[in-house]
Amino acid sequence: MAVTEPAPAAVSAAQSAAHEGAHEGSQEGAHEGILRRQAARESSARTYARALPIVPVRARGLTIEGADGQRYLDCLSGAGTLALGHNHPVVLEAIRKVLDSGAPLHVLDLATPVKDAFTTELFRTLPRGLADRARIQFCGPAGTDAVEAALKLVRTATGRDGMLAFTGAYHGMTAGALEASGGASDVRVARLPYPQDYRCPFGVGGAGGAELAARWTESLLDDTKSGVPQPAGMILEPVQGEGGVIPAPDQWLRRMRAITAARSIPLIADEVQTGVGRTGAFWAVEHSGVVPDVMVLSKAIGGSLPLAVVIYRDDLDVWQPGAHAGTFRGNQLAMAAGTATLAYVRENGLAERAGVLGARMLTQLRSLAAEQPCIGDVRGSGLMIGVELVDPAAADPFDTAGADQPGPGATDLPDPAGSADHLASVALDRARRPLPPAPALAAEVQRECLRRGLIVELGGRHSSVVRLLPPLTITDEQAAAILDRLADAISAAARPHRG
Ligand code: PMP
């Protein structure tokens, strides 16, 4: 297994430049000095920097070079932002063109040719059914800003206040977005079950679990004593990213569309992470054919620079001028980089490529799972992939003989159909039962990956899901190198855990 490769001479120049700011008189290198100063000065709320003690100085495509001379394959990709990887030539060219043209870089929400081109390209990609009647609101530059705008939009349009959101959701860190996220407990948001196979809340998984989740949603809305008033909207991720890479079944998404449409509840698709080809379709809702009323977009649409928008059907456009203002809504460089990225993904069929390559990577990871008992589940959609690590040594959660707490799917479930066959068919695939999550092992896998020159993200309810979000431009060879390094890292990390 290849370990981290030394970086070329160019990094030495960057290294020595960075070294000038290093600790006077100490022996530490630029890399250590920068990390030490970061730890001393930056907030204790810093996140990625804790698990990934690297100092990027150059980057291209999938590869990052650190100030320590090491090279890394970057499967974090700016938390899924870099559809074309780092510093793609078409993105750099688009940015340079704006810089060299003398165009203003900051124009609030004024009209410019750069913005006009971005909107035209974006509208060209939208799901049919929304594209013809779409409005766009440029908002503050982060995903969470677009979520706030979307919540305000539907609250204004419906005159209602409550919101439907899902277990495991992540929509951002500002107040309204946080309220809709899975970690929150708030009266304005009714929390509904998001279907998942491996840890199905109903112990059923598959289509049966998704159907039960849909029925629960329906019954909460129709039961006048459910405690859930008619909401202003429903917000969902077509694939939950931070929640642990959980793709929603297409049929369940269609049910959510039908349930909301029948009750005049606007459906908001948060495609901040899933958009721009990531899941194997340009927009993840396209897999199911669902046309949402509102789409929240950020990350990849800015081509690596900050940009966020809300797209919505024109009849929702009843908010007043200035209802959602903000200073940073006119980033011309981000719009140019975004236009170039959207066009490149579209013209080069990168969504289809992500679908094909992602499916192959999932198959290979499932073969690995068959050999590695610490891999509980492998799942994903396109190049949004998750490997859930579990503790295989934990007591069998389904073994009710003498156990105090039978796990989900235990055989004393009531039998709604009154037949043993029904029970057998819905719940008791013992080979698929979930084992307890293993967050410490996942953190160890992340460290072992870094040692091997691979940057991965952790996610999921228990931070036990290793996440891969590589650029859509990676080659077959790069995909193989990623999986080699990951397999090697999992073996190394699992060794001491085997007892
Ligand atoms: N929605 C989703 C689905 C996300 O994944 C994220 C970020 N990971 C956000 C919203 C928030 O985006 P931002 O961090 O840019 O505020």
Side-chain angles (χ1 to χ4, degrees):
M1 168 52 48
V3 282
T4 50
E5 309 153 34
V11 172
S12 309
Q15 244 178 298
S16 46
H19 195 76
E20 283 160 23
H23 199 45
E24 281 288 316
S26 90
Q27 290 304 303
E28 73 185 2
H31 164 88
E32 287 85 8
I34 290 168
L35 290 176
R36 182 181 53 72
R37 284 190 294 282
Q38 180 185 45
R41 296 169 182 167
E42 285 190 28
S43 155
S44 55
R46 66 191 186 282
T47 49
Y48 303 103
R50 288 184 181 277
L52 301 170
I54 61 170
V55 180
V57 290
R58 275 161 56 99
R60 183 78 168 205
L62 175 66
T63 307
I64 284 186
E65 295 171 4
D68 58 355
Q70 302 295 328
R71 280 179 167 217
Y72 303 90
L73 302 182
D74 180 13
C75 283
L76 176 56
S77 295
T81 302
L82 304 170
L84 305 186
H86 293 275
N87 292 330
H88 192 282
V90 301
V91 171
L92 295 184
E93 191 192 325
I95 292 172
R96 280 198 195 102
K97 212 168 140 200
V98 177
L99 285 175
D100 294 344
S101 74
L105 298 180
H106 181 299
V107 290
L108 300 162
D109 68 350
L110 301 184
T112 68
V114 172
K115 184 198 237 184
D116 187 54
F118 172 78
T119 306
T120 302
E121 180 59 40
L122 181 63
F123 274 35
R124 189 170 177 173
T125 69
L126 291 177
R128 293 235 307 275
L130 184 58
D132 312 339
R133 298 186 53 189
R135 288 280 182 277
I136 184 168
Q137 162 74 13
F138 287 85
C139 43
T144 199
D145 297 318
V147 170
E148 296 292 341
L151 300 182
K152 187 190 281 180
L153 173 82
V154 296
R155 284 187 168 124
T156 307
T158 61
R160 302 189 291 256
D161 193 39
M163 199 59 59
L164 303 175
F166 290 87
T167 50
Y170 184 79
H171 298 294
M173 280 284 162
T174 52
L178 203 56
E179 199 175 276
S181 299
S185 55
D186 194 277
V187 288
R188 283 213 299 176
V189 171
R191 186 80 42 202
L192 302 169
Y194 193 88
Q196 50 174 321
D197 277 355
Y198 189 59
R199 297 189 188 283
C200 175
F202 306 106
V204 177
E211 176 57 21
L212 288 176
R215 282 195 201 182
W216 177 243
T217 298
E218 219 167 13
S219 91
L220 275 189
L221 290 171
D222 294 344
D223 178 351
T224 53
K225 299 287 182 208
S226 68
V228 178
Q230 175 80 341
M234 170 187 280
I235 182 165
L236 57 77
E237 298 152 87
V239 181
Q240 284 191 343
E242 308 303 326
V245 194
I246 304 181
D250 291 345
Q251 180 55 22
W252 177 83
L253 273 175
R254 287 191 283 268
R255 291 272 277 128
M256 291 305 106
R257 176 65 287 187
I259 288 169
T260 48
R263 293 161 183 80
S264 301
I265 300 168
L267 177 64
I268 306 167
D270 179 345
E271 291 243 23
V272 166
Q273 196 165 136
T274 50
V276 194
R278 170 65 53 197
T279 69
F282 206 98
W283 305 108
V285 288
E286 289 166 0
H287 293 293
S288 60
V290 156
V291 179
D293 304 299
V294 183
M295 286 173 74
V296 178
L297 312 178
S298 187
K299 293 200 195 270
I301 63 159
S304 75
L305 298 178
L307 188 64
V309 299
V310 187
I311 302 284
Y312 54 94
R313 224 188 29 248
D314 52 6
D315 59 308
L316 294 169
D317 200 28
V318 295
W319 48 4
Q320 295 301 307
H324 203 72
T327 304
F328 288 109
R329 295 180 295 139
N331 187 334
Q332 301 294 290
L333 294 182
M335 288 173 195
T339 308
T341 300
L342 295 169
Y344 192 89
V345 170
R346 179 176 57 73
E347 288 162 4
N348 292 280
L350 291 190
E352 295 75 13
R353 163 74 181 160
V356 171
L357 185 57
R360 198 187 309 150
M361 290 173 79
L362 281 179
T363 304
Q364 287 162 357
L365 285 166
R366 286 190 179 122
S367 305
L368 179 67
E371 295 158 18
Q372 277 288 3
C374 68
I375 300 181
D377 195 25
V378 171
R379 52 187 183 249
S381 184
L383 287 174
M384 194 167 173
I385 293 173
V387 176
E388 179 159 348
L389 296 175
V390 293
D391 180 1
D396 180 353
F398 287 77
D399 183 2
T400 53
D404 292 339
Q405 291 180 323
T411 46
D412 55 357
L413 278 175
D415 177 359
S419 89
D421 281 355
H422 180 75
L423 255 190
S425 70
V426 292
L428 302 177
D429 180 0
R430 287 184 151 254
R432 291 181 63 254
R433 72 192 71 152
L435 287 161
L441 175 62
E444 187 56 27
V445 167
Q446 190 183 37
R447 281 190 291 274
E448 291 290 347
C449 282
L450 197 64
R451 267 183 216 127
R452 287 161 177 77
L454 177 66
I455 298 174
V456 296
E457 154 84 308
L458 295 185
R461 270 68 154 180
H462 307 277
S463 296
S464 59
V465 179
V466 175
R467 304 191 53 201
L468 299 178
L469 290 162
L472 313 184
T473 47
I474 58 168
T475 62
D476 291 351
E477 293 71 30
Q478 287 174 321
I482 290 166
L483 293 188
D484 272 359
R485 293 182 195 194
L486 177 60
D488 208 38
I490 292 175
S491 299
R495 226 165 276 138
H497 292 256
R498 278 205 189 111

